[in-house]
Amino acid sequence: MLMPEGVAIDGITGAVSPATVHYTKRLSELRELFQDREAVESEVERLHDPIVYEVAEYRKQGSDIFFGTTTMSPGRVGSEYYMTRGHFHERPNAAEVYYTQHGDGILLLESRDGQSENVEMQPGSCAFIPPGWAHRSINTGSEKLVFVWMCNIAAGHDYGDILKRGMRKLVVARNQLPVLIDNPSWGH
Ligand code: F6R
Ligand code: ZN
């Protein structure tokens, strides 16, 4: 029998305690996400391959949900802000919830047929990600972006489609403020 347990989540650092999984994504692992590949290489060099985001999970076998945090560093590659890979859930009815605890960001969402939506991420905002919508988080602030997520343990993660086609919108800095623009290489 699974036993109840309190899990501490630090709203500033994103630390989950106890956590069952923890991983980091560094800029060199995320090269393909950014438009300006030369800028990626020079930032990898200049910042010694910085951590772009970290994920800490709490998952127990025998339960149908799991949850955790994503903690994103502030930063840009050229004019593009740091972002997560982005994915669809494989299971057709698998939704997800993102509850932002710290920082400022944009949650970009995209349906299979290319409809694009976005939801602001700021402390206290809770985003509903419906089934069938790819989701990517972007840290547009100058501090860490920390959010708690929760979804079905069998949701499945499809990264390939978004990696191949990109997302329809890019989030870039214009006069130090984030704006959404059309992705010129979307679908290529
Ligand atoms: C899980 C989920 C988040 C992301 C995390 C990293 O379904 O949406 O936990 O996995 O924010 O983003 P990706 O996985 O797109 O690199
Ligand atoms: Zn997800």
Side-chain angles (χ1 to χ4, degrees), residues 53 70 84-87 89 96 98 135 147 149 151 157 159:
Y53 60 95
T70 301
T84 58
R85 289 168 292 178
H87 58 267
H89 293 161
E96 186 159 5
Y98 276 16
H135 38 289
F147 60 93
W149 48 265
C151 73
H157 291 78
Y159 289 100

Side-chain angles (χ1 to χ4, degrees), residues 5-177:
E5 186 169 34
V7 178
I9 293 183
D10 187 316
I12 306 290
T13 66
V16 174
S17 179
T20 50
V21 176
H22 180 262
Y23 70 84
T24 57
K25 285 282 165 202
R26 291 183 179 270
L27 188 54
S28 64
E29 301 171 84
L30 305 169
R31 298 188 147 87
E32 293 93 342
L33 304 184
F34 297 93
Q35 300 291 304
D36 186 342
R37 300 290 161 82
E38 277 178 28
V40 173
E41 297 316 319
S42 66
E43 286 301 274
V44 167
E45 183 86 11
R46 186 176 75 87
L47 298 170
H48 309 291
D49 202 8
I51 290 173
V52 175
Y53 60 95
E54 300 181 48
V55 175
E57 287 181 10
Y58 178 88
R59 118 170 35 203
K60 291 277 155 156
Q61 217 161 12
S63 162
D64 64 343
I65 59 162
F66 75 132
F67 64 92
T69 59
T70 301
T71 303
M72 302 187 67
S73 309
R76 288 196 331 233
V77 170
S79 62
E80 270 188 293
Y81 294 96
Y82 279 3
M83 65 183 94
T84 58
R85 289 168 292 178
H87 58 267
F88 286 98
H89 293 161
E90 278 159 3
R91 208 154 122 162
N93 61 350
E96 186 159 5
V97 169
Y98 276 16
Y99 177 70
T100 303
Q101 290 203 300
H102 187 78
D104 292 288
I106 292 177
L107 176 60
L108 263 189
L109 300 120
E110 191 167 309
S111 63
R112 289 250 177 225
D113 62 6
Q115 203 179 320
S116 179
E117 291 288 332
N118 61 85
V119 174
E120 250 183 80
M121 301 175 84
Q122 53 197 202
S125 84
C126 188
F128 171 58
I129 301 169
W133 286 80
H135 38 289
R136 164 178 284 165
S137 322
I138 295 142
N139 185 352
T140 57
S142 53
E143 294 182 23
K144 286 193 175 203
L145 175 66
V146 180
F147 60 93
V148 176
W149 48 265
M150 186 180 304
C151 73
N152 189 288
I153 210 143
H157 291 78
D158 164 13
Y159 289 100
D161 289 346
I162 288 301
L163 193 60
K164 241 181 283 153
R165 79 180 195 191
M167 289 190 83
R168 192 161 198 155
K169 297 284 178 186
L170 304 178
V171 182
V172 298
R174 291 272 189 274
N175 303 317
Q176 305 305 318
L177 290 175

